[in-house]
Amino acid sequence: MTFRAPVRDLAFALKTVGHPQLLERAFPDLDDDTVQAVLEAAAAFADGELAPLNRQGDQQGARYENGKVSAAPGFADAYKHFVEQGWNSLSADPAYGGQGLTKAMELSVFEMVHAANMAFGLCPMLTQAAIEALAQHGTERQKRLVLPKLVSGEWTGAMCLTEPHAGTDLAALTSIARPDGEGGWLLTGQKIFITWGDHDAADNICHLVIARTPDAPPGVKGISLFLTTKFQVKDDGSLGARNDFRPVSIEHKLGIHGSPTCIMAYEDAQAELVGELGQGLAHMFVMMNAARLQVGVQGVAIAERAFQQALTFSQDRKQGRPAFDDAQGMIYGHPDVRRTLMLSKAKIEAARGICLTVGVLSDLAEHAGSNAERAAARARQELLTPIAKAWSTDIGVEVASAGVQVHGGMGFIEETGAAQHYRDARIAPIYEGTNGIQAMDLVGRKVRLNGGETLRALCAEIALTAETLNQTAELDGVGRRLAAGVAVLERATDWLVAADNISALAAATPFLKLAGDVCGGWILGRQALAAAGSDDPWLQSKGALARLYASQVLTGAPGLADAIAESGPDLAETHAAALAG
């Protein structure tokens, strides 16, 4: 169950998604040596301190006793060290105590954190999302007193949306905030599924809560965003009285046992408005989108962890008569095992590249040289975010499942630890908006809303990469299949834009998978081109991974196109008979 943070893979991925060019344009004080030093230091912390706690956190978990939540054994000390070493403040604005590094560097560090210990990583992950929300929409008081504490990691953040009767349907929430007569608000209601909503690892916990005001209109237009803290914050920044909210219990879950998932009750808790009344959902989307990208990184991370364990097992386990004689009789020599591992590796690198691409785009949307460049970067960032979240987390589950399969029966028992990765991975396609919701967002807001123009621009760029691949002898098969895949995606986009709303929604999930598969092929093709001509065996393997992905994944594009175009009528017309007992 040892883990080695994939520093070399991450450094190479950063180079192939345009990170060096970003540094030259907008971060002149950063260079490749700095990036490498940050990655290596983060790897040492992830490998040495977080990874050893992962199994213990799964077996013992967080605890709820006497109305209080305690972090899993060892987690509080690890969090203290995480904060002391500065890992919480990587990309935050230096004006609030941040280090001003790039978003892609932050994502790279957090991939190692999540891979080492996903349950631990959820705590600082949500703090990062809270930082982004308050940086954009917080009041001057919140930015002065609360934001620096979140950036340092002395305080943690929690996102509080879901209620027992209202899951994804936020319009149905009933939590209410009433004016307290002194410029503040009194918050009352119950929230469920609140990750790290209470714990003993930090001095204070900052809840960003959506709720209604007494005179608010129904629906999402009546939602506002509020900040309420476990201990009230005085005007001089010191902590005051315990606020009037508490954990009712923590959930007993399939996985991520070290992460306390709380039911929280607010009983006239003192709160502050964040941003404008009635704009709570728009303000909260800043936090949600930041979390969605981080969740995509979690998918990559848990896949990496599961893959490493499966690879090690395959090289230690002797079974049968392997066909390849370079494996010393171990199951690594069976072609199907090797294919499974190599395809897992290819998908991990593809998903990693998609997530890091969104990170680079996030910085370009703020720092590019012209308004047009910033707008184009923002549009592509928004297009790729649901793909990064959904496609990458699906890959996380798929690779973790493949890891169990490589272990065979040994993977189905808890002692090997392979099952933990599968259990942990399974939440990622569900939270921060299920992957079905991500698909609806992709087709509705990101593709159809502007007639598919943003996606078509991306397809044109992918097609150019395919042409370049076709000019490289050992990669021409990759180029041919990538060109075919992107042509299918363009046709599917045309169909989607012209389709009625019900047909488009019925096609949303296969459309997102098609877009993710093609973008993954684009990422691997770019990596293969960057490595072409090298005599380094590790770099040469990039071409092999791209070829395997092209033959095993991109060849499925036409079938997905059929699924996109043909699923709607049967869902509408024959569902009752098809589902009858």
Side-chain angles (χ1 to χ4, degrees), residues 549-572:
Y549 183 95
S551 67
Q552 302 291 303
V553 178
L554 289 178
T555 50
L560 285 171
D562 290 344
I564 290 165
E566 297 177 15
S567 59
D570 285 330
L571 295 180

Side-chain angles (χ1 to χ4, degrees), residues 76 90 127-129 167 169 180 191 206 215 245 247 276 309 315 368 374 387 398 401 416 461 509 514 564 573:
L90 293 172
T127 303
Q128 303 307 308
D169 184 11
D180 66 358
K191 299 288 184 178
C206 305
D215 57 351
F245 67 83
E276 301 177 26
Q309 182 164 334
Q315 294 173 333
R374 289 192 293 273
I387 298 172
E398 182 181 332
S401 179
T416 60
E461 190 170 330
T509 292
L514 173 61
I564 290 165
E573 298 166 9

Side-chain angles (χ1 to χ4, degrees), residues 4-13 36 39 536-539 542:
R4 177 187 56 80
V7 172
R8 191 177 187 186
D9 288 333
L10 282 162
F12 182 74
Q36 188 69 25
L39 294 179
D536 180 341
W538 184 81
L539 288 173
K542 302 302 179 184

Side-chain angles (χ1 to χ4, degrees), residues 17-178:
V17 298
H19 191 254
Q21 292 78 15
L22 171 68
L23 297 184
E24 290 178 4
R25 296 183 63 181
F27 295 84
D29 294 333
L30 301 177
D31 55 25
D32 286 347
D33 289 341
T34 302
V35 172
Q36 188 69 25
V38 169
L39 294 179
E40 290 177 357
F45 180 75
D47 295 355
E49 186 149 2
L50 297 183
L53 294 173
N54 191 46
R55 183 67 169 159
Q56 180 175 302
D58 181 60
Q59 293 178 321
Q60 299 185 34
R63 300 184 309 279
Y64 175 82
E65 296 173 339
N66 301 318
K68 298 180 180 180
V69 178
S70 300
F75 277 40
D77 285 341
Y79 182 75
K80 179 182 178 181
H81 300 155
F82 178 88
V83 168
E84 289 173 346
Q85 294 183 27
W87 299 117
N88 201 70
S89 60
L90 293 172
S91 69
D93 189 336
Y96 304 111
Q99 299 178 49
L101 303 183
T102 68
K103 173 61 70 171
M105 290 177 69
E106 176 193 277
L107 296 175
S108 298
V109 168
F110 269 80
E111 184 196 317
M112 292 186 275
V113 169
H114 292 313
N117 194 325
M118 180 175 166
F120 174 93
L122 281 161
C123 180
M125 181 200 90
L126 287 167
T127 303
Q128 303 307 308
I131 289 168
E132 294 198 25
L134 289 184
Q136 288 198 34
H137 299 297
T139 65
E140 288 306 312
R141 182 181 190 278
Q142 292 158 6
K143 290 179 180 179
R144 176 172 57 87
L145 300 178
V146 178
L147 190 51
K149 296 290 189 180
L150 289 171
V151 169
S152 70
E154 294 171 76
W155 300 352
T156 65
M159 180 165 54
C160 308
L161 288 80
T162 308
E163 298 184 3
H165 59 283
T168 301
D169 184 11
L170 300 179
L173 67 85
T174 59
S175 295
I176 190 165
R178 297 177 287 104

Side-chain angles (χ1 to χ4, degrees), residues 159 161-162 167-170 193 285 288-289 291-292 295-296 385-394 426-443 445 508-509 512:
M159 180 165 54
L161 288 80
T162 308
T168 301
D169 184 11
L170 300 179
F193 303 155
F285 261 110
M288 290 171 65
N289 282 327
R292 285 171 175 173
V295 169
T385 293
I387 298 172
K389 191 278 178 181
W391 194 80
S392 299
T393 56
D394 282 344
R426 193 59 192 85
I427 186 58
I430 296 173
Y431 59 23
E432 307 310 335
T434 65
N435 285 357
I437 297 295
Q438 303 304 313
M440 291 168 61
D441 177 54
L442 175 66
V443 303
R445 294 189 182 95
T509 292
L512 187 147

Side-chain angles (χ1 to χ4, degrees), residues 65-349:
E65 296 173 339
N66 301 318
K68 298 180 180 180
V69 178
S70 300
F75 277 40
D77 285 341
Y79 182 75
K80 179 182 178 181
H81 300 155
F82 178 88
V83 168
E84 289 173 346
Q85 294 183 27
W87 299 117
N88 201 70
S89 60
L90 293 172
S91 69
D93 189 336
Y96 304 111
Q99 299 178 49
L101 303 183
T102 68
K103 173 61 70 171
M105 290 177 69
E106 176 193 277
L107 296 175
S108 298
V109 168
F110 269 80
E111 184 196 317
M112 292 186 275
V113 169
H114 292 313
N117 194 325
M118 180 175 166
F120 174 93
L122 281 161
C123 180
M125 181 200 90
L126 287 167
T127 303
Q128 303 307 308
I131 289 168
E132 294 198 25
L134 289 184
Q136 288 198 34
H137 299 297
T139 65
E140 288 306 312
R141 182 181 190 278
Q142 292 158 6
K143 290 179 180 179
R144 176 172 57 87
L145 300 178
V146 178
L147 190 51
K149 296 290 189 180
L150 289 171
V151 169
S152 70
E154 294 171 76
W155 300 352
T156 65
M159 180 165 54
C160 308
L161 288 80
T162 308
E163 298 184 3
H165 59 283
T168 301
D169 184 11
L170 300 179
L173 67 85
T174 59
S175 295
I176 190 165
R178 297 177 287 104
D180 66 358
E182 299 178 0
W185 300 81
L186 297 175
L187 179 67
T188 299
Q190 188 178 89
K191 299 288 184 178
I192 63 172
F193 303 155
I194 308 307
T195 301
W196 285 87
D198 193 63
H199 58 84
D200 59 354
D203 295 336
N204 206 5
I205 306 172
C206 305
H207 285 206
L208 286 171
V209 185
I210 54 172
R212 299 188 180 284
T213 53
D215 57 351
V220 296
K221 293 183 179 180
I223 295 173
S224 297
L225 180 62
F226 297 89
L227 169 68
T228 183
T229 55
K230 183 175 181 177
F231 293 95
Q232 295 183 35
V233 181
K234 298 179 181 179
D235 288 340
D236 64 358
S238 63
L239 296 182
R242 178 74 164 83
N243 211 341
D244 293 317
F245 67 83
R246 59 188 174 84
V248 176
S249 66
I250 59 175
E251 303 288 359
H252 301 280
K253 310 185 295 290
L254 177 68
I256 53 169
H257 296 153
S259 170
T261 303
C262 302
I263 299 174
M264 301 297 306
Y266 305 86
E267 300 162 342
D268 281 348
Q270 197 69 43
E272 303 176 17
L273 179 68
V274 178
E276 301 177 26
L277 281 173
Q279 296 298 312
L281 196 57
H283 298 338
M284 180 60 89
F285 261 110
V286 175
M287 190 173 189
M288 290 171 65
N289 282 327
R292 285 171 175 173
L293 178 55
Q294 280 273 7
V295 169
V297 172
Q298 280 186 339
V300 180
I302 200 68
E304 175 69 35
R305 183 70 185 267
F307 161 76
Q308 286 193 22
Q309 182 164 334
L311 176 62
T312 298
F313 182 86
S314 75
Q315 294 173 333
D316 291 339
R317 174 75 166 175
K318 183 175 288 188
Q319 198 81 41
R321 293 184 178 180
F324 295 122
D325 59 8
D326 59 355
Q328 289 76 52
M330 305 301 169
I331 63 170
Y332 182 68
H334 290 295
D336 187 64
V337 171
R338 192 169 297 187
R339 181 197 61 82
T340 298
L341 291 166
M342 287 187 65
L343 190 56
S344 294
K345 178 70 170 177
K347 290 179 177 179
I348 290 166
E349 294 199 357

